[in-house]
Amino acid sequence: MLRLAVTTQAETFERMRDPLADRGIEVVAVQPEERTLSLSEPDLPDADVGFVYPSRLMEGGVIDAFLDVPWVNSREAILRSRNKADVLTRLSQAGIPVPATTFVSNPVSDEAVAAAARQFDPPVVIKPNSTTRGTGVAKVMDLDSLLGVTDYLDLVHDYKATGDRSYLLQEYLPDARDYRVMLVDGEYAGAVERRLPAEDRERGQWKHNVHRGAEATGVDLDAELRDLAERAAEVLDVDYLGVDLLVTDDRAVVNETNARPTIDSATKYEEGFWDNLAGLIREAAES
């Protein structure tokens, strides 16, 4: 039986274990972080292939050296997807619609930030360039609020060990529907709509991240949106990918991507999802 090393969160590990076992793939857990690990006698399982490279690159380098296996999503795929500005630039250059966005590399002056913000109608979304789960993303209505947020970013970025000192200013799309589309080997494998409960929206919440309390409901995405997500996966050349779409009444854009997407319940994916995922894992193992 093929052994697959999985470093992703517990939900994904639990959901994939039995379906992949039925297809001749044993899923073994590998904890890359928040632990101690002997570098001479590591307590790690044997594996034939890895699922997705660990999110922390230092830990990932250690795990990768010990396991010495090919990955379904390699270090390069994780880095490419994590860099929001990189993703949006590649997609835009390929003619794929994305939100209007300005990349800011600190340090810059307040005057430069203000000039960049004037290109957008308020409110303006400000987000770190390399975080996930909506961490650090804010919506600001005026320049004073924007500069208040950037003041905090300046304090963080002033610490010289901070790896990423960039952030994005982005247009806000009111009333946009938020979809997470799953791609396996570049092909549409299912989608969910992420939506906050009505009472949360009434209290002013607006970020539709599941980790912020949004509910993910399986949807039958139309062909045009499926094609948009598949085109994004092709441009980025990432085999196992979550593509986040924002859809209004008159446009659809690729907002972000995730090369370590959580696997949801099987009812939210297309028939054949597990067969296709197993095939992708076997293909990676043979590479």
Side-chain angles (χ1 to χ4, degrees):
M1 180 177 282
L2 194 70
R3 288 171 62 85
L4 174 71
V6 174
T7 66
T8 50
Q9 56 268 53
E11 306 102 298
T12 289
F13 175 83
E14 294 296 336
R15 289 168 180 155
M16 71 193 314
R17 183 169 53 185
D18 291 342
L20 290 182
D22 292 341
R23 291 159 177 81
I25 299 174
E26 180 184 1
V27 178
V28 295
V30 175
Q31 181 183 347
E33 58 196 53
E34 298 182 0
R35 60 170 300 178
T36 60
L37 183 65
S38 169
L39 299 186
S40 56
E41 297 180 357
D43 180 21
L44 294 174
D46 293 329
D48 303 298
V49 59
F51 189 44
V52 293
Y53 195 90
S55 60
R56 292 188 184 180
L57 299 184
M58 297 300 103
E59 288 87 335
V62 174
I63 298 298
D64 189 34
F66 279 131
L67 295 181
D68 191 25
V69 296
W71 297 85
V72 171
N73 278 0
S74 66
R75 179 180 186 273
E76 289 71 25
I78 301 303
L79 283 173
R80 184 177 307 138
S81 177
R82 178 183 297 176
N83 186 336
K84 295 178 175 65
D86 184 349
V87 166
L88 295 175
T89 300
R90 291 175 187 270
L91 297 181
S92 180
Q93 291 294 308
I96 294 175
V98 299
T101 306
T102 295
F103 175 73
V104 182
S105 175
N106 256 345
V108 295
S109 66
D110 286 354
E111 290 76 13
V113 173
R118 281 193 287 269
Q119 301 174 42
F120 303 97
D121 293 327
V124 176
V125 176
I126 178 170
K127 60 174 65 172
N129 188 38
S130 57
T131 60
T132 60
R133 301 184 177 185
T135 302
V137 179
K139 181 177 65 174
V140 294
M141 299 298 298
D142 55 71
L143 182 58
D144 283 341
S145 298
L146 173 61
L147 294 179
V149 174
T150 61
D151 283 344
Y152 282 109
L153 288 174
D154 289 343
L155 291 173
V156 173
H157 294 169
D158 190 52
Y159 180 54
K160 300 305 182 183
T162 301
D164 178 14
R165 301 181 191 179
S166 62
Y167 60 91
L168 306 179
L169 301 179
Q170 197 168 71
E171 67 171 318
Y172 175 64
L173 300 180
D175 301 320
R177 298 180 297 281
D178 184 306
Y179 297 107
R180 161 60 62 83
V181 187
M182 187 73 83
L183 288 301
V184 175
D185 203 11
E187 296 187 359
Y188 175 82
V192 296
E193 180 176 3
R194 301 179 296 192
R195 188 171 180 82
L196 286 166
E199 57 270 24
D200 291 341
R201 297 197 304 275
E202 291 170 1
R203 285 195 293 262
Q205 286 186 247
W206 61 278
K207 292 187 282 188
H208 294 280
N209 300 84
V210 172
H211 294 91
R212 299 282 179 172
E215 300 169 351
T217 304
V219 294
D220 184 19
L221 212 61
D222 66 46
E224 184 176 347
L225 296 179
R226 294 185 184 201
D227 179 68
L228 178 59
E230 288 180 348
R231 287 165 55 204
E234 181 180 10
V235 169
L236 298 177
D237 192 26
V238 178
D239 290 326
Y240 170 67
L241 186 67
V243 175
D244 295 345
L245 304 180
L246 295 179
V247 182
T248 66
D249 290 340
D250 57 2
R251 62 191 288 217
V253 299
V254 176
N255 188 44
E256 295 183 10
T257 63
N258 188 338
R260 294 174 54 87
T262 301
I263 292 180
D264 214 314
S265 59
T267 57
K268 299 177 182 178
Y269 298 122
E270 296 287 284
E271 184 177 354
F273 169 79
W274 291 112
D275 290 332
N276 294 336
L277 185 59
L280 179 60
I281 292 166
R282 293 188 183 281
E283 182 181 331
E286 295 166 0
S287 63

